[in-house]
Amino acid sequence: MIPGPVGSIGQVPDRAIWVILGPPGSGKGTQAELLTTALGVPHVSTGDLLRAEAEAGTPLGAAVAPLLAAGELVPDDLIERVLERRLTRPDAVRGAMLDGYPRTVAQARSLDSRLAASGCPVRGVLLLQVAEATLVERLLQRAGEQHRADDNRRAIAERMTEYRERTEPVIAYYRGAGVPVLPIDGTGDVDAVHERIIRSIYGE
Ligand code: AP5
């Protein structure tokens, strides 16, 4: 068990599912990766899983590649399939930091059903907040460095719309369910954001 300082989240239990939410470019992947050590759970990114399928040219990857490139959401049945495969790997036995999932209220409900069976509800939701101009700037900068298929103005606009219309309601869903939602200022350098997250989790 991770030593358990008590704060706004409280004692960190043996098995924990965390969710990191925020618009495209808010730093979910970057921060989730840093949190793996602090929270003792793997970073599980549905976006990374889908991109790996697309790069490997699997049938699932071929089906999702055009959706990824357009910034549109992938159908739930495909997402549930990749997630199921990932969460049954041994490193997820202690839980996971979910990045990119759930992205809709339907997915949040599906996750709740799955977790109810394991007796381990979502421990907390980290909500990264960054102004849209900064998000676009970060994504366009990455476009020049990594050539991600969806880092172009058209796909970025679609991703922002999907976030506003389909993912933002997930925040209210969790608040309504009594799950702690921790808003975090996602601006400034990466380490400063990480420190803010840690302080927010442990209530320091
Ligand atoms: P996904 O991979 O989840 O993409 P996204 O939500 O658009 O988010 P990004 O990965 O672009 O940004 P991020 O918030 O993780 O920030 P990051 O750390 O990378 O999903 C991609 C697609 O997959 C979706 O559009 C959809 O098609 C599909 N999909 C995935 N999950 C799905 C689901 N559940 N249901 C249906 N479809 C699904 O950082 C971004 C950039 O900013 C990086 O270059 C980084 O270095 C930089 N950066 C990070 N932090 C800082 C900082 N503090 N200061 C300056 N730069 C920073």
Side-chain angles (χ1 to χ4, degrees):
M1 180 160 182
I2 297 170
V6 178
S8 47
I9 289 285
Q11 190 91 3
V12 178
D14 280 333
R15 183 161 191 275
I17 296 287
W18 301 82
V19 170
I20 187 160
L21 279 181
S26 56
K28 301 183 293 296
T30 304
Q31 294 299 330
E33 205 54 49
L34 291 176
L35 286 163
T36 57
T37 309
L39 297 178
V41 292
H43 169 204
V44 171
S45 157
T46 44
D48 285 350
L49 293 170
L50 293 169
R51 281 185 289 278
E53 294 278 345
E55 275 157 31
T58 64
L60 190 146
V64 302
L67 298 169
L68 293 178
E72 292 169 18
L73 295 194
V74 166
D76 286 350
D77 58 323
L78 300 184
I79 288 293
E80 302 297 342
R81 213 194 304 166
V82 291
L83 192 73
E84 177 66 26
R85 244 188 264 153
R86 180 62 186 88
L87 290 183
T88 47
R89 274 170 44 187
D91 67 336
V93 71
R94 294 197 51 221
M97 169 63 66
L98 297 179
D99 156 19
Y101 182 95
R103 230 177 177 91
T104 63
V105 170
Q107 290 181 7
R109 290 206 174 98
S110 167
L111 179 63
D112 278 352
S113 309
R114 154 198 269 279
L115 296 180
S118 67
C120 168
V122 172
R123 184 80 182 111
V125 175
L126 309 173
L127 175 61
L128 292 176
Q129 298 175 314
V130 178
E132 186 158 327
T134 305
L135 299 171
V136 174
E137 196 181 304
R138 286 181 186 178
L139 295 175
L140 291 177
Q141 183 171 340
R142 185 173 63 187
E145 297 161 359
Q146 294 182 19
H147 312 295
R148 219 175 95 167
D150 56 352
D151 282 344
N152 57 73
R153 284 192 186 275
R154 181 184 290 214
I156 290 170
E158 180 63 26
R159 288 155 69 197
M160 296 290 176
T161 301
E162 294 279 22
Y163 180 77
R164 274 192 296 270
E165 294 182 356
R166 302 181 68 187
T167 308
E168 277 186 354
V170 174
I171 301 165
Y173 172 83
Y174 279 123
R175 287 198 171 117
V179 176
V181 175
L182 308 181
I184 317 278
D185 174 2
T187 55
D189 69 41
V190 167
D191 290 342
V193 178
H194 177 67
E195 284 303 315
R196 270 178 224 136
I197 294 176
I198 294 295
R199 279 201 303 273
S200 186
I201 289 176
Y202 293 109
E204 293 164 5

